């Protein structure tokens, strides 16, 4: 149950020592209630109060980790229904599925495509997170051998899918130490599978075709058996039913009033081609923490990962790159100098177009708190004074012998002010659109009769 600031205040030592960074214990309690402070900041809180506050402060949806080491995946710990209310914390993990009935060549080909896919977009590396190994052969030895092959060829954490207890046991004997996600606790043999999950200390997926009430009841039963890390898999029939079930489970979990709902959700994106991709896209948008793509195709990875990137960025914090000097190509001191803001998309569009011009350049990126050029200019965060200070701070007054700087065309109005702030410099107005940068730079070079500006 979520506590109010006053309820938290009554549990604090009331010393007003200020060691937590707040002026009073009441102020600290209010910050705790608003999740703007951590209880660890108070050095005098009692163990009893810590236990009560810790339980109250726990997120409504349990944090679950899959895998070990650098490639481990964390899911859950969400606090809101809609990202604009705060943010979503742990992005949907995408898994490509293979099964143990595949021919070896097909298995290796699907693994190679899934594990090697990597695209850098807006400063983030987009890749799949998990490999799901499904048992369809009914043979424990074959399931175990397939898992060994997957582990040899792919470093991603595993999801083991089977409704056969013997196969599950064989699979865990091979991969149990790597903390795979185990998907197989349906109502018929949930206790048996839960015992295996507890024995190997792995997270467990609970599934049930009888609706979300039956599913959450089964989750409570599994939790009482000693398995703490649980995922819920509503066996929804169709996209509309899945949207309803996932939304209702998220809403109930956030209310903290419905036992068995405070766990991350998982789904299978069934169907080949567009059908599977659309199902996965729906899950990314509405509350799936893990999506297993049953028939993955290379073409669908990038749109799904791009969608996920857009959904799971912090809406209160623009994507941004570090301010500084970026060298593009073999840029030297006499290379052109351009300037822009540190909004991530702006930086990548500008730097990409400079690279396309094939003219090595330096790009000065100023701190505009992640805003685009026009927005930053309107907010007073990208003007002549800001640019002049950045030029000086980065030593460009001495390291740019030609003393020319190219500003975005959208802020042409500051060129005069900038020349006043940078005496002796030639302020050149570039194009408004980044797509016009290559033609602009080549045109200026042509007019100067030089290979560079």
């Amino acid at each position: 149950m979520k506590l109010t600031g006053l309820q938290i205040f009554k549990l604090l030592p009331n010393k007003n020592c200020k060691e937590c960074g707040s002026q009073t214990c009441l102020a600290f309690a209010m910050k705790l209630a608003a999740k703007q402070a951590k209880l660890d900041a108070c050095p005098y809180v009692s163990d009893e109060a810590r236990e009560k506050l810790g339980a109250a402060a726990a997120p409504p949806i349990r944090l679950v980790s899959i895998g070990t080491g650098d490639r481990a995946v964390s899911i859950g710990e969400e606090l809101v229904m809609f990202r604009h209310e705060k943010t979503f914390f742990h992005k949907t993990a995408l898994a490509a599925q293979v099964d143990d009935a595949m021919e070896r060549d097909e298995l290796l080909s699907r693994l190679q495509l899934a594990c090697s896919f990597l695209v850098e977009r807006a400063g983030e590396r987009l890749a799949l997170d998990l490999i799901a190994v499904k048992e369809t052969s009914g043979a424990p030895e074959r399931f175990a051998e397939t898992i060994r092959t997957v582990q040899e060829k792919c470093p991603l954490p595993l999801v083991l899918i089977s409704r056969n207890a013997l196969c599950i046991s064989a699979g865990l004997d091979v991969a149990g130490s790597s903390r795979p996600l185990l998907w197989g606790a349906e109502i018929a043999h949930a206790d048996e599978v839960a015992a295996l999950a507890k024995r190997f200390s792995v997270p467990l997926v609970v599934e049930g075709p009888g609706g979300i009430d039956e599913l959450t009841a089964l989750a409570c039963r599994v939790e009482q058996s000693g398995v703490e890390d649980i995922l819920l898999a509503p066996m929804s029939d169709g996209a509309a039913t899945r949207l309803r079930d996932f939304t209702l489970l998220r809403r109930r979990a956030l209310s903290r009033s419905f036992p068995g709902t405070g766990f991350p959700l998982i789904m299978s994106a069934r169907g080949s081609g567009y059908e599977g991709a659309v199902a996965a896209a729906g899950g990314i948008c509405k509350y799936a923490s893990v999506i297993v793509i049953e028939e993955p195709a290379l073409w669908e990875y990038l749109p799904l990962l791009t969608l996920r990137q857009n959904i799971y960025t912090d809406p209160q914090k623009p994507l941004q790159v570090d301010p500084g000097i970026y060298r593009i190509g073999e840029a030297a001191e006499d290379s052109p100098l351009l300037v822009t803001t540190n909004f991530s998309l702006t930086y990548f569009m500008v730097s990409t177009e400079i690279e396309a011009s094939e003219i090595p350049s330096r790009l000065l990126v100023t701190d505009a708190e992640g805003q685009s050029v026009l927005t930053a200019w309107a907010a007073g965060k990208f003007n002549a004074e800001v640019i002049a200070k950045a030029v000086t701070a980065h030593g460009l007054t001495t390291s740019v012998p030609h003393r020319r700087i190219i500003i975005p065309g959208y802020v042409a109005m500051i060129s005069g002010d900038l020349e006043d702030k940078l005496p002796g410099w030639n302020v050149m107005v570039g194009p408004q659109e980044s797509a016009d940068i290559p033609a602009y730079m080549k045109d200026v070079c042509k007019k100067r009769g030089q290979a560079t500006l």
Side-chain angles (χ1 to χ4, degrees):
M1 183 69 70
K2 184 178 180 181
L3 300 180
T4 65
L6 288 177
Q7 288 171 322
I8 294 173
F9 172 67
K10 293 176 181 177
L11 295 171
L12 294 178
N14 201 14
K15 284 176 170 288
N16 293 329
C17 63
K18 303 180 183 177
E19 293 185 37
C20 62
S22 300
Q23 292 298 312
T24 64
C25 286
L26 180 58
F28 181 57
M30 293 302 175
K31 288 183 179 178
L32 286 175
K35 299 190 182 303
Q36 296 173 346
K38 298 285 188 182
L39 184 61
D40 292 342
C42 177
Y44 303 111
V45 66
S46 67
D47 291 340
E48 180 184 1
R50 188 181 296 280
E51 183 177 350
K52 291 181 180 178
L53 291 172
I61 298 175
R62 184 177 177 82
L63 177 67
V64 176
S65 295
I66 305 168
T68 59
D70 296 339
R71 305 302 291 264
V73 174
S74 295
I75 54 174
E77 215 171 32
E78 303 298 341
L79 301 175
V80 294
M81 287 293 296
F82 308 105
R83 63 189 288 268
H84 63 263
E85 295 178 285
K86 189 173 180 67
T87 187
F88 292 159
F89 289 96
H90 292 107
K91 60 189 178 184
T92 304
L94 297 180
Q97 179 175 296
V98 299
D99 70 68
D100 65 351
M102 282 180 166
E103 296 295 332
R104 182 175 174 81
D105 289 346
E106 183 183 6
L107 172 67
L108 296 181
S109 174
R110 186 172 289 188
L111 286 175
Q112 197 275 333
L113 289 176
C115 297
S116 63
F117 183 84
L118 177 64
V119 171
E120 185 166 335
R121 181 178 182 273
E124 183 180 349
R125 294 161 69 87
L126 306 182
L128 297 188
D129 309 282
L130 303 163
I131 291 292
V133 186
K134 185 173 184 178
E135 175 271 312
T136 59
S137 67
E141 299 82 6
R142 178 147 187 165
F143 188 47
E145 184 58 32
T146 303
I147 293 171
R148 285 193 194 92
T149 301
V150 173
Q151 287 188 313
E152 289 173 1
K153 302 297 182 182
C154 183
L156 299 179
L158 300 180
V159 181
L160 305 184
I161 306 174
S162 175
R163 277 78 183 175
N164 183 321
L166 291 176
C167 290
I168 291 173
S169 180
L172 288 174
D173 285 338
V174 174
S177 61
S178 62
R179 195 174 166 76
L181 172 62
L182 179 57
W183 189 341
E186 57 185 4
I187 195 164
H189 56 276
D191 296 333
E192 188 177 9
V193 176
L196 286 169
K198 184 179 179 182
R199 175 184 160 200
F200 285 90
S201 296
V202 298
L204 177 64
V205 177
V206 173
E207 64 180 11
I212 60 176
D213 291 333
E214 181 181 291
L215 175 65
T216 54
L218 182 59
C220 290
R221 191 173 114 198
V222 169
E223 188 178 27
Q224 289 169 1
S225 72
V227 178
E228 295 182 339
D229 292 335
I230 296 172
L231 281 78
L232 303 179
M235 306 303 286
S236 309
D237 183 18
T241 306
R242 182 167 52 246
L243 175 62
R244 181 202 64 193
D245 290 347
F246 275 56
T247 303
L248 192 55
L249 282 167
R250 169 65 75 94
R251 195 173 295 281
R252 288 184 176 183
L254 296 183
S255 75
R256 300 174 185 260
S257 301
F258 294 86
T261 58
F263 303 106
L265 306 179
I266 184 172
M267 60 170 280
S268 277
R270 295 189 175 90
S272 59
Y274 294 113
E275 185 181 3
V278 168
I284 291 171
C285 293
K286 288 298 180 184
Y287 313 132
S289 290
V290 177
I291 297 175
V292 175
I293 305 172
E294 289 193 355
E295 298 180 46
L298 183 60
W299 64 264
E300 62 187 319
Y301 292 161
L302 183 57
L304 289 176
L305 291 166
T306 301
L307 173 64
R308 183 183 72 175
Q309 184 185 36
N310 291 334
I311 296 291
Y312 282 84
T313 55
D314 187 344
Q316 302 175 46
K317 185 179 179 182
L319 283 174
Q320 53 189 288
V321 298
D322 293 333
I325 300 292
Y326 292 81
R327 294 179 181 272
I328 300 169
E330 300 294 329
E333 288 189 347
D334 60 347
S335 298
L337 173 66
L338 299 92
V339 62
T340 190
T341 70
N342 68 329
F343 177 44
S344 184
L345 187 57
T346 297
Y347 165 77
F348 284 104
M349 291 176 68
V350 171
S351 61
T352 299
E353 296 299 338
I354 294 174
E355 188 174 5
S357 74
E358 299 181 347
I359 299 175
S361 304
R362 285 190 287 180
L363 180 60
L364 171 61
V365 175
T366 65
D367 185 1
E369 299 180 0
Q371 298 180 7
S372 61
V373 169
L374 271 181
T375 305
W377 170 76
K381 300 184 183 302
F382 189 65
N383 53 33
E385 184 175 359
V386 170
I387 295 173
K389 284 184 177 178
V391 168
T392 303
H394 292 287
L396 298 175
T397 51
T398 57
S399 65
V400 179
H402 53 69
R403 295 203 159 202
R404 290 188 293 273
I405 185 169
I406 302 171
I407 64 174
Y410 278 117
V411 291
M413 69 291 284
I414 70 171
S415 60
D417 289 341
L418 185 56
E419 287 185 338
D420 291 340
K421 299 288 184 184
L422 295 173
W425 281 66
N426 179 15
V427 178
M428 304 169 64
V429 177
Q432 292 185 343
E433 303 297 337
S434 60
D436 296 327
I437 288 177
Y440 166 83
M441 295 182 70
K442 290 176 181 176
D443 183 57
V444 173
C445 288
K446 184 178 179 181
K447 289 178 179 175
R448 290 178 175 275
Q450 300 175 354
T452 185
L453 296 182

